[in-house]
Amino acid sequence: IMHKKIFNFENYGETKSPVPSGEVDVVDPQGEYAYENYNLDQYIGDRNVILIGIPGAFTPTCTEKHLPGFVSNEKNIYAKGIDEIICLSVNDPHVMVAFEDFINFEGSNITMAADPYGEVAEQMSLLTDMGVMGNRSKRFAAIITDGKIQTLLIDEKGLDVSSADNCLKHL
């Protein structure tokens, strides 16, 4: 499925880009169903959100380094006025249900969302071929307020730019 790219990060910062409208499956551990389908822009609305993009649930860097930083800094992030931390991955929703259980097992409250067709990653021009893993999202963190991405932090390699510590510096 090809979708129109709505993001042009070469001119980023001049005008704030809207939250992508791609369909996602948001994990709801308390809900009647394991996950609910939304358009991401409608789900986020005008709330203050950090959207974390990861290449894959249960992959080593995401599981052992990236997400734990947000778990340990969760209270600090919410104290800066963020309403929700959402972790997005190009995985199927069942994988994200299991990942939610794994990451939040000690009581943290990071929302997991599946981008099963890579729509959101593609709309953000962050969909990339990762060989054996297929098309996945680059690792990123987007600070969103009033339905617009205020700051987009993308890791081309490793994990420095999109870390929880770096996000806190931008809040």
Side-chain angles (χ1 to χ4, degrees):
I1 303 172
M2 287 302 294
H3 297 282
K4 182 174 77 105
K5 289 186 175 159
I6 58 175
F7 287 76
N8 176 0
F9 289 117
E10 289 163 17
N11 302 325
Y12 197 77
E14 293 170 24
T15 56
K16 303 299 180 191
S17 297
V19 173
S21 60
E23 281 190 30
V24 296
D25 297 305
V26 178
V27 175
D28 182 5
Q30 273 62 281
E32 183 178 347
Y33 304 102
Y35 57 88
E36 298 277 340
N37 186 265
Y38 296 93
N39 287 86
L40 184 62
D41 58 344
Q42 293 172 353
Y43 178 77
I44 292 175
D46 60 0
R47 296 178 303 134
N48 298 330
V49 170
I50 293 182
L51 179 67
I52 309 161
I54 61 171
F58 299 107
T59 56
T61 302
C62 304
T63 307
E64 296 161 19
K65 296 189 177 88
H66 200 193
L67 266 294
F70 284 93
V71 168
S72 63
N73 279 293
E74 189 176 16
K75 287 182 177 61
N76 299 334
I77 290 168
Y78 292 140
K80 297 267 190 180
I82 295 297
D83 301 311
E84 188 172 14
I85 301 168
I86 303 169
C87 175
L88 182 78
S89 183
V90 181
N91 281 115
D92 73 71
H94 304 287
V95 169
M96 294 309 284
V97 168
F99 197 52
E100 189 280 333
D101 195 43
F102 181 80
I103 292 295
N104 291 328
F105 77 99
E106 289 186 334
S108 54
N109 193 27
I110 294 175
T111 302
M112 299 297 163
D115 181 12
Y117 304 107
E119 284 182 23
V120 171
E122 186 175 20
Q123 287 174 350
M124 294 177 74
S125 298
L126 295 175
L127 194 66
T128 187
D129 184 345
M130 293 197 174
V132 70
M133 288 174 52
N135 286 334
R136 295 296 178 104
S137 174
K138 290 183 180 180
R139 185 173 289 109
F140 73 88
I143 299 170
I144 299 167
T145 58
D146 299 322
K148 299 266 192 281
I149 296 175
Q150 304 299 324
T151 305
L152 182 66
L153 305 165
I154 303 168
D155 280 298
E156 293 296 337
K157 283 196 161 89
L159 169 62
D160 297 313
V161 181
S162 68
S163 69
D165 287 335
N166 200 34
C167 282
L168 276 166
K169 291 176 188 168
H170 287 84
L171 293 177

